Amino acid sequence: MSQPVTTRPAVLVARAIFPDIIEQLSRHFDVEANPDDALWPREELVRRLQGKQGVFTTGSERIDAALLAQCPGLRICANMAVGYNNFDLPAMTAAGVLATNAPGVLTETTADMGFALLMAAARRVTEGEHFLRAGRWDRWAYDMLIGQDVHGSTLGIIGMGRIGQAIARRGALGFGMRVIYHNRSRLPEADEAAVGARYVSKQELLRTADHVMLVVPYSAESHHIIGAAELALMKPSATLTNIARGGIVDDAALAAALREGRLAAAGLDVFEGEPRVHPELLACRNVVLTPHIGSATVPTRRAMARLAADNLIGYLLHGKPLTPLNPQVATA
Ligand code: GLV
């Protein structure tokens, strides 16, 4: 008796990832991986996507209408990131392609990084290290590398999703900060009370916060929400931290404010056009710069990868993705 022919779905993993995740995917799919972590040009990505039903993306692969038109068999793109500005979601929905991201699993880790940058900027940690390594530390001085207090100050959070709320909790409970926030929509009062945060206008936040933290997703609406006009509202003693996405801040305007002492310091994990960094930011001593590592801890990166893999397995094998961004595609 002949066995029924079963074809396994084919999946492309667009960037290098934990080997055991590739093994997990290989138990269910025909997997094409990218062990060298090559940054495939778009035409090559399109070529490798031929005959694939799923793709594991990492945020560096742009999925839009033009790509989808050339990949008619594609059914799901699973992003190993909570942000998904590399996806043209309406185009994916129109093409019937499911999009998933990796929310929840990186919240606390990314909030930790926000605090690390805020504290490093306020207390001039990396500037102090550069000073010491350069052999310039030859005595104590009352004003050597004096910075700003974090405890007891006012923390202004722009964007109050999961990560914003995790930062608010750290500020209010751990550092005794007054926490104010601005968001597209106000949180229910019980949620505000739970994280100890008060809703204010963006202008009031910028005028009164000692430390401003940006945690909004990137979109056309959030492009350059912090530019020269907004920086001009901030106190010269204030700091600005961006752990969200490049392009939310006008990097040239920020560099000018830092250089001219109109802002005390900044902490940046994300940049417009990264991995390039604006040369004027590189020239500023009062900015702490990290290469988009907000979620980069071993357990969190593993959890993100597993969630992306589970989305591929859930959808391609059972029609049930875990964290869909356009669930109407799954139920259509
Ligand atoms: C990281 O930037 C993410 O969006 O997960």
Side-chain angles (χ1 to χ4, degrees), residues 80-84 102 106 243-245 270 292 295 301 304:
M80 185 189 148
V82 66
Y84 52 91
L106 46 63
I243 51 164
R245 277 291 182 274
V270 287
H292 202 147
S295 64
R301 284 285 166 85
M304 292 165 71

